[in-house]
Amino acid sequence: MDTQRDMSYDVIVVGGGNAALVSALAAHKAGARVVIFEAAPEAEHGGNSRFSSGIFRIPHGGLHEVEALLDGSALDDIAHCRMEPYTAEQYRDDIERTSKGLCDNAQVFVMLEYAFETVRWMKEELGVKWQLPLGKFFDREKIIRAQGVVDMPPWDTVMAVGEGTGLMEALWEAVLKTPEIAVFHSSPVSGLITHGDTVRGVIVRQRDKTLRAQGQVILGCGGFEASPRLRRQYLGEGWDLVALRGCRFNTGRILEQAVASGAAAVGNFGGCHATPHDLNAPKILKPSDADSMSRYSFPYSVMINANGRRFIDEGENVFSLTYAKAGAAIVRQPHATAFQVFDQKTLHLLEPRYSVASPVQADTLEDLAQKIGVDAKAFCGTIAHYNEATPPDATERFNAFSRDGVSTGTTLDIPKSNWALPIDHPPFLAYGVTCGITFTYGGLQVDDAARVLNDEGLVMPGLWAVGEIAGGFFAFNYPGGSGLTKGAVFGKLAGESAARRAKNNNSV
């Protein structure tokens, strides 16, 4: 039996999601011979990107600029939308605020500089089709009927047609129709081939043999979110039991191997992207589940725990700046469970994903509490105190599409800073949620060209890291849509850089 095989390529890409495939395609277009090693079988390839919304947050000058990115099939939405500019300064402020200043400023500068160009390149060169995310977070037809022309959040700039599934279908189609790119599925990388700090290739574990591949190495294989062991070790108690919102193959093995080979670890290892996730969702999603189990309309709800108490400011900010930390708040609640409670005034605002949920409905708050298994006295008391704190003109001032300042003020221990409508129009509905982890924030230290650094802060020649395996960019929280953008920008840069190094006969 052939137990070991040696092979040689210019560029080796580890992983099968957005960042990895952009790296592979960029390296190929730069003239390199490329191989992709993907841990997943072909039916499950696509990494976390496959489970995403497919939204890219990019800076832009307004809808007239964004229109140039859209696929011809998506231009009809232009007539129903307005979109203000989203400047690089606004984007930088959002990253600074969510990371509490712990983002790598040099990397942020590079991402903002190349984001728009990269998204346009993905359309023109890779065949990715973009649309406005008009129907993603609201029911498209209902919103158009209600608003006429919708003010689109400028940070949710473009979304791949078909969301994360469509994004990955487009990128994998681009790869598979390029015969010069070799692809090995069901082939997890188990180690790096090193000579001192220089990385010369990878070791690949297959069912009946081990492969050794020589070449420049780009790691794009995610964080450690699929490993209960590492989640418990780094994130803390209870995190080993949470639901996995993303790819089951992102186990952190190669991250650990890179650190063992001398790569520096950096970033918020105790932090992660974790969201409100359907309480009845499977612990590990199937690829066919796609991005269907998230529950992000909580700013229009009152969210209570299993003891009948509120525990977060549901209206702190627009959901795209709070959803990625809401999951961590839910983990800290009894049984890692919460309920998003709505009345009839806001049901039309629920995002389409709620249509696959199984809400509990009741004509009275007492009955609702009993049906969801929460102490009725505590639950009704919480809602009553909340209702008393809502302003008398809340309904008139309420604006679902921007921070409206409709607040409970300082009356409650935990305020609701925006969208504070009373819960008083039955029937009432409760959607059960738990925590779904998407990706982890800690990872390998890289420079602003995605080159991996060693423990002494020096470049490890021949090794790049892109996407979620690269740490030091996000911490504590996350601006929605920026992860895919970061992965694509640095994936393109890493692919081109690795191809140049291969051509230059491995010169640093």
Side-chain angles (χ1 to χ4, degrees), residues 103 111-112 157 390:
C103 51
M111 187 188 77
L112 296 180
T157 316
T390 60

Side-chain angles (χ1 to χ4, degrees), residues 331-384:
V331 166
R332 296 190 290 269
Q333 304 314 304
H335 317 301
T337 296
F339 297 92
Q340 298 174 359
V341 179
F342 300 89
D343 71 2
Q344 295 297 307
K345 295 192 298 297
T346 54
L347 289 185
H348 68 288
L349 297 172
L350 298 188
E351 59 180 11
R353 286 179 285 197
Y354 282 70
S355 66
V356 300
S358 300
V360 176
Q361 180 172 317
D363 291 328
T364 69
L365 292 171
E366 291 83 357
D367 285 348
L368 187 67
Q370 291 174 2
K371 286 182 177 182
I372 62 177
V374 173
D375 180 81
K377 183 177 181 181
F379 176 83
C380 292
T382 294
I383 300 297

Side-chain angles (χ1 to χ4, degrees), residues 5 40 46 48 57 87 99 134 171 218 231 247 253 305 309 332 337 349 377 394 458 466 476 478 485 493 498:
R5 246 175 73 196
N48 272 357
R57 177 186 289 240
T87 67
S99 71
L134 175 59
L171 292 177
I218 302 174
R231 292 201 306 262
C247 172
R253 294 278 185 174
N305 63 20
R309 308 295 184 189
R332 296 190 290 269
T337 296
L349 297 172
K377 183 177 181 181
L458 304 175
V466 296
F476 304 110
Y478 166 87
T485 306
L493 293 175

Side-chain angles (χ1 to χ4, degrees), residues 67 70-81 132 134 140 144:
E67 184 176 357
L70 304 181
D71 185 67
S73 65
L75 293 177
D76 287 349
D77 283 348
I78 294 290
H80 304 292
C81 296
L132 295 175
L134 175 59
R140 183 183 185 277
I144 290 174

